[in-house]
């Protein structure tokens, strides 16, 4: 069964360090999403890609966060420098169709910033 | 901006109890309402996608209803089992991203 892969599963870092997360969507899925879930809240969209293009990054803190999907397949989300408030679960999802298409999620990366 | 509210925040039931959760949202235009089940250390798993007022979906002991006119969806679990323990998330699709509620954490004790 096709799955969305994410790595690492857990990451502990000190503030001001750089961290990177990787996501490999289900093969053939053109739309890729990065969500962040802070403890006690629902996931919130950080960035949405359609193929290699950014469709929505309005909630991405661009002073420290960056995301890329160079060949329209896998994607990397980077934080530099990490801050204490960045501690959260980072979820990647993919969909075959933008809009009403079902989104399939990976297991997430749990980030702890000390 | 769509605001999605879920209640209760957490629920503790005994094995065999039936339970239900609520997802509330502004009764305005949206594309679809999604329910996900998220077990610890696993990926969120899609349960249902509903688009029309009056939609009812069922999967085994779990079912869901949608009322777009009054702005709510119910998720029902009949005869809860320990393996149903998870966080249940509802989300609205605005045509692109999902807008999530904060989730209901269900714990089923044997």
């Amino acid at each position: 069964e096709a799955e969305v892969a994410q790595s690492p599963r857990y990451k502990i870092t000190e503030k001001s360090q750089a961290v990177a997360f990787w996501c490999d969507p289900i093969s053939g899925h053109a739309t890729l999403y990065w969500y962040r879930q802070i403890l006690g809240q629902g996931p919130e969209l950080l960035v949405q890609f359609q193929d290699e293009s950014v469709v929505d990054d309005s909630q991405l803190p661009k002073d420290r966060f960056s995301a890329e999907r160079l060949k329209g397949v896998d994607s990397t989300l980077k934080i530099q420098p990490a801050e204490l408030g960045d501690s959260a679960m980072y979820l990647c999802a993919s969909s075959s169709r933008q809009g009403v298409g079902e989104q399939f999620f990976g297991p997430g990366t749990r980030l702890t910033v000390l | 901006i769509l605001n999605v509210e879920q209640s209760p925040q957490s629920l503790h039931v005994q094995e065999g109890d039936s339970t239900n959760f609520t997802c509330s949202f502004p009764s305005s235009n949206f594309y679809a309402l999604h329910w996900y089940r998220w077990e610890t250390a696993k990926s969120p798993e899609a349960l249902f996608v509903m688009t029309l007022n009056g939609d009812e979906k069922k999967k085994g002991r779990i079912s869901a209803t949608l009322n777009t006119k009054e702005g709510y969806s119910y998720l029902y679990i009949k005869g809860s089992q320990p393996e149903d323990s998870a966080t249940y998330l509802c989300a609205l699709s605005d045509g692109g991203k999902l807008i999530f509620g904060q989730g209901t954490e269900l714990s089923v004790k044997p």
Side-chain angles (χ1 to χ4, degrees):
Chain A
E1 184 176 315
E3 295 179 341
V4 176
Q6 288 189 248
S7 67
R9 293 290 304 273
Y10 304 90
K11 179 69 178 179
I12 299 174
T13 191
E14 294 184 345
K15 65 179 183 179
S16 79
Q17 296 298 303
V19 292
F21 314 134
W22 177 79
C23 172
D24 191 13
I26 292 172
S27 178
H29 281 193
T31 311
L32 185 148
Y33 308 83
W34 283 101
Y35 291 88
R36 175 173 64 181
Q37 189 215 18
I38 296 171
L39 195 62
Q41 301 179 18
E44 292 184 332
L45 182 76
L46 289 174
V47 61
Q48 177 186 343
F49 289 93
Q50 182 67 26
D51 298 307
E52 66 276 8
S53 300
V54 173
V55 172
D56 184 352
D57 64 355
S58 57
Q59 299 303 309
L60 189 70
K62 297 181 187 64
D63 56 336
R64 297 184 301 108
F65 285 63
S66 64
E68 61 184 14
R69 194 184 182 199
L70 292 176
K71 297 182 179 179
V73 181
D74 59 339
S75 175
T76 302
L77 178 69
K78 296 179 181 177
I79 308 175
Q80 183 173 17
E83 296 181 352
L84 296 177
D86 297 331
S87 294
M89 174 72 82
Y90 291 81
L91 289 165
C92 178
S94 70
S95 173
S96 59
R97 290 187 300 150
Q98 190 175 351
V100 297
E102 181 180 344
Q103 293 186 22
F104 295 83
F105 284 82
T109 296
R110 169 73 68 187
L111 173 67
T112 302
V113 183
L114 303 176
Chain B
I1 297 177
L2 292 173
N3 189 35
V4 180
E5 295 286 339
Q6 289 187 248
S7 62
Q9 278 192 302
S10 64
L11 198 54
H12 300 266
V13 302
Q14 290 293 133
E15 181 176 355
D17 289 349
S18 294
T19 187
N20 65 84
F21 323 132
T22 303
C23 175
S24 302
F25 50 87
S27 53
S28 56
N29 291 334
F30 69 91
Y31 286 98
L33 183 134
H34 303 246
W35 280 101
Y36 283 86
R37 174 171 60 200
W38 192 4
E39 296 178 67
T40 302
K42 294 186 177 180
S43 304
E45 172 196 1
L47 290 174
F48 306 113
V49 181
M50 295 181 287
T51 57
L52 299 176
N53 184 48
D55 257 355
E56 293 186 23
K57 296 284 180 79
K58 186 175 181 180
K59 183 185 292 187
R61 295 179 291 99
I62 305 176
S63 61
T65 61
L66 177 64
N67 185 323
T68 60
K69 292 183 179 179
E70 296 185 28
Y72 65 83
S73 175
Y74 291 145
L75 186 80
Y76 301 91
I77 302 178
K78 183 178 178 181
S80 301
Q81 300 296 309
E83 57 265 31
D84 296 328
S85 297
T87 296
Y88 291 82
L89 293 166
C90 85
L92 296 187
S93 169
D94 70 350
K97 64 181 179 288
L98 294 177
I99 301 165
F100 285 89
Q102 70 271 48
T104 292
E105 187 176 354
L106 174 67
S107 175
V108 183
K109 293 189 176 181

